Amino acid sequence: VASTQEEFTKRQFWFNAASQFHAIHLAQGKMYVQNALESEGRMSLGNTFQLLMNLVVFFDRCRENQWEGAWVLMDNLNLLPKADSEMTVKVEAFFQLDNCVKQIFHHVVLAAMEALCHLFRSLRQDGAGVSIQQQNTIDQRLDELRTHARLLVTFSRLLNLPGLGDGDTYVRIAQLEKNMM
C-alpha cells in the first residue's frame, strides 16, 4: 500500500504500464503472448498476472475504504473458502499459486479480514432503529460475515503463510474476528 505521494505515483505508473501491456498483448483476441505461454507450458504466468492486477485493485479499494467493493472483488477472485466443504480445495489451490502470490498472501488474508470487519461494523451501526423485518435481514448478513471471518481464520492457520512466523498477523486476524462476535 503506497504511503507517500511519490510511492503512489510510482505504483500508479506500474499499474498503468501493466494494464497497457494487458490491453495490447493479453486482452480478448490478442493471442500471441497467450499462444507463446501455452506452447511453453507456462499459461499459469498469464493467470498470475491477472491475479496480481486484481489484487492491486483489491488493495486500492481497501486503502480507499471501499470495503464492499473490496470484499466483492475478493469473493469473485474465489481464493478464499465460502464454506467448510471448500476448505481442502482452497488450501490445495493456494499451494498451486505462484510463489510471488504466496509470499504476499498474508497481506491478502489480513486485508480481507479487515474488509469483513469494516462491513460488519458498518452494517451493525446501520441496523439501529430499523423494522423487525429489516433487522432479520441485517442479522442474517451479520451471520454471513461472521461465517466468512471464521472460515478465513481457519484457512489462514491451515496455510502456514510466509511472513506469519511471528504470529502477529494471526493475532490480528483473530482480534478482528473477535470484534465481530
Side-chain angles (χ1 to χ4, degrees), residues 69-83:
W71 179 253
V72 167
L73 176 57
M74 183 54 58
D75 197 44
N76 288 338
L77 290 175
N78 210 20
L79 295 170
L80 308 174
K82 296 175 180 145

Side-chain angles (χ1 to χ4, degrees), residues 105-140:
F105 207 74
H106 59 288
H107 295 292
V108 173
V109 170
L110 183 56
M113 183 61 93
E114 288 173 348
L116 285 172
C117 194
H118 282 282
L119 290 172
F120 182 88
R121 197 174 313 137
S122 174
L123 187 58
R124 192 170 56 188
Q125 288 171 354
D126 292 345
V130 297
S131 72
I132 301 261
Q133 183 179 8
Q134 290 171 318
Q135 188 61 50
N136 288 340
T137 302
I138 289 171
D139 288 344
Q140 181 179 2

